[in-house]
Amino acid sequence: MALALAAGCAASRPVSPALEQARQHFEAGRYGEAVKRLNDALLRKLRSREVPRGYELRGQSQARLGRIDEALRTFQTGVAQYPKDINLLTHLGNLLHQNALDTQARPFYE
């Protein structure tokens, strides 16, 4: 029971302000600002459970800015570090599929 309570407390911890600000920029359509805030130095400072969301936001922002190569690198880096993160795997697969790279996308969907 104590383990379940500790897990619940960890899950309810507030999101770091830097990640929250980047998310707000993303939701407001200010993708360039989100990318700028989610630089490598900031990603290294995030809590380990927040890093995949940082890669996700940065990759999505880059994709929406039309920076497909950068978005692919971001998602690939995120997947390399968090190979079981379903969100990163899905975004990488989707981006590959949208760019007619279905053969490369398939393993990320599987």
Side-chain angles (χ1 to χ4, degrees):
M1 181 148 170
L3 183 60
L5 181 58
C9 290
S12 65
R13 288 172 51 185
V15 173
S16 70
L19 185 61
E20 180 58 25
Q21 289 173 354
R23 186 191 60 75
Q24 289 172 357
H25 285 298
F26 177 82
E27 289 179 357
R30 294 188 299 269
Y31 307 119
E33 189 62 30
V35 169
K36 185 171 127 182
R37 291 185 181 269
L38 291 168
N39 58 51
D40 290 334
L42 181 125
L43 288 172
R44 285 190 294 274
K45 293 179 184 178
L46 293 176
R47 294 179 200 123
S48 61
R49 68 180 177 83
E50 294 177 332
V51 175
R53 301 298 63 85
Y55 279 114
E56 183 180 0
L57 276 173
R58 184 166 81 175
Q60 286 183 298
S61 296
Q62 290 165 328
R64 294 199 181 175
L65 289 169
R67 301 179 191 166
I68 303 306
D69 290 341
E70 290 177 30
L72 282 171
R73 280 192 299 275
T74 295
F75 287 131
Q76 288 169 335
T77 301
V79 166
Q81 292 180 31
Y82 300 92
K84 294 184 181 187
D85 188 279
I86 192 72
N87 293 324
L88 289 172
L89 291 166
T90 302
H91 284 299
L92 180 53
N94 288 344
L95 194 58
L96 290 166
H97 171 68
Q98 291 165 3
N99 288 281
L101 299 169
D102 293 332
T103 304
Q104 292 91 333
R106 186 177 182 154
F108 296 105
Y109 290 127
E110 292 174 348

